């Protein structure tokens, strides 16, 4: 014990630095575990947990029998997989291309411009996309009309709405996520590039045979983080969706909000949220297992 206390005393400033983050995790991630039991009770808001009877898995059974829940689960998977499938490679490409720019001022200007959307809230971005995609004067539909095409109501058309979510997600976060890959590229030994240059490798070959393989560990970590959030789409959809496209845009996040906040069915909403978390954990472990099978080492 004395050795442990001496170690804390010696590194007290470091422990003070991690104290706020540790408290945040305890308060908002671990203490709420206690209230998971709401999913297994018929929760009484006025009576509290002690006066809420246990109902076992009744809330989960009702959840799985609800057609809206299955539709929301399907939509969540489809939207998340579309965003990962079409957007995952964009930050990697941005980072590699920025790294190849030799004019540093131009590179920093481009970096700043593509980072900016990340600092805008989904409310602002939702408003921008509604304006740009409007069939009445929106810039996109004006361009379509220039080429002789009819206007498209992107925000109210089920065939297009999911693509709006994919494009807006890429526009908002791709530049910001490229920072991770740029940091990884900076860590690659310059000796490898020098040796390849001496051997006659051109820029494209150095990107393919040095940069990309060196980024694989970082790519796997980012992929794992994205998979862990695959069922946690809420803010973007909540801001941008409308009843005319609810059949393709209602996700688990918006569904839990509807039944938990609007209808006050807290037990039902907690059961849906717990199911969401369990599925996310299973997906993360599955991807980690797949990575270990392919590369021989796991990410976790």
């Amino acid at each position: 014990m004395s050795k442990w206390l001496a170690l804390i005393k010696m590194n007290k400033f470091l422990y003070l630095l991690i104290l706020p983050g540790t408290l945040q995790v305890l308060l908002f991630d671990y203490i709420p575990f206690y209230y998971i039991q709401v999913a297994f009770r018929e929760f009484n808001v006025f009576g509290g947990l002690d006066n809420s009877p246990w109902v076992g898995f009744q809330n989960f059974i009702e959840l799985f029998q609800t057609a809206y829940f299955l539709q929301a689960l399907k939509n969540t998977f489809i939207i998340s997989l579309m965003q990962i499938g079409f957007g995952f490679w964009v930050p990697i490409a941005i980072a590699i291309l920025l790294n190849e720019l030799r004019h540093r001022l131009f590179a920093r200007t481009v970096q700043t411009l593509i980072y900016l959307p990340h600092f805008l809230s989904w409310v602002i971005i939702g408003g921008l996309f509604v304006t740009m995609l409007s069939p009445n004067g929106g810039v996109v539909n004006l361009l379509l009309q220039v080429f002789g095409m009819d206007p498209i109501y992107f925000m109210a058309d089920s065939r297009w709405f999911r693509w709006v979510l994919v494009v807006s997600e890429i526009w908002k976060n791709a530049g910001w996520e490229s920072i991770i890959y740029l940091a990884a590229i900076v860590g690659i030994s310059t000796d490898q590039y020098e040796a390849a240059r001496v051997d006659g490798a051109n820029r494209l070959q150095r990107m393919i045979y040095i940069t990309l393989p060196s980024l694989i560990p970082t790519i796997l970590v980012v992929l794992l983080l994205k998979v862990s959030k695959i069922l946690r789409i809420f803010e973007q959809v909540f801001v941008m969706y409308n009843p005319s496209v609810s059949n393709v845009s209602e996700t688990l996040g918006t569904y839990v909000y509807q039944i938990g906040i609007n209808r006050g069915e807290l037990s039902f909403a907690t059961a849906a949220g717990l199911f969401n978390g369990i599925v996310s954990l299973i997906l993360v472990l599955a991807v980690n297992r797949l990575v270990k099978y392919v590369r021989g080492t796991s990410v976790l």
Side-chain angles (χ1 to χ4, degrees), residues 130-142 145 151-153:
V130 168
T131 304
M132 289 191 299
L133 299 176
S134 171
N136 300 316
V139 64
V140 175
N141 275 304
L142 287 176
Q145 291 176 39
I152 300 173
Y153 202 165

Side-chain angles (χ1 to χ4, degrees), residues 75-148:
N75 290 335
T76 306
F77 270 110
I78 291 175
I79 294 170
S80 294
L81 292 176
M82 286 175 69
Q83 290 182 339
I84 292 176
F86 293 96
F88 184 75
W89 307 105
V90 177
I92 302 171
I94 290 174
I96 292 174
L97 292 175
L98 284 175
N99 184 61
E100 292 299 320
L101 289 177
R102 290 293 170 260
H103 196 293
R104 301 320 302 171
L105 179 60
F106 177 70
R108 288 176 183 173
T109 304
V110 173
Q111 279 180 272
T112 304
L113 289 175
I114 61 177
Y115 293 165
L116 282 178
H118 176 77
F119 298 101
L120 301 176
S121 71
W122 276 116
V123 176
I124 297 174
I125 292 179
L128 287 173
F129 271 76
V130 168
T131 304
M132 289 191 299
L133 299 176
S134 171
N136 300 316
V139 64
V140 175
N141 275 304
L142 287 176
L143 287 174
L144 291 178
Q145 291 176 39
V146 169
F147 292 101

Side-chain angles (χ1 to χ4, degrees), residues 172-234:
K172 185 177 191 297
N173 292 321
W176 180 255
E177 292 174 0
S178 68
I179 294 175
I180 299 173
Y181 299 109
L182 279 169
I185 290 173
V186 171
I188 300 173
S189 172
T190 55
D191 293 343
Q192 296 184 59
Y193 291 105
E194 291 298 330
R197 196 175 290 112
V198 170
D199 290 339
N202 57 34
R203 278 192 174 189
L204 182 61
Q205 289 170 326
R206 293 198 293 271
M207 280 193 290
I208 294 174
Y209 296 110
I210 297 177
T211 308
L212 271 178
S214 301
L215 286 177
I216 287 178
T218 307
I219 291 172
L220 293 175
V221 171
V222 175
L223 177 62
L224 204 64
L225 292 174
K226 281 192 170 291
V227 169
S228 70
K229 299 175 182 176
I230 202 167
L231 297 181
R232 294 172 61 184
I233 304 174
F234 174 70

Side-chain angles (χ1 to χ4, degrees), residues 7-8 33 47 62 111 175 195 200 207 240 260 271 281 283 296:
L7 185 65
I8 292 178
F33 273 143
E62 292 178 8
Q111 279 180 272
M207 280 193 290
M240 301 178 77
L281 177 62
L283 288 173

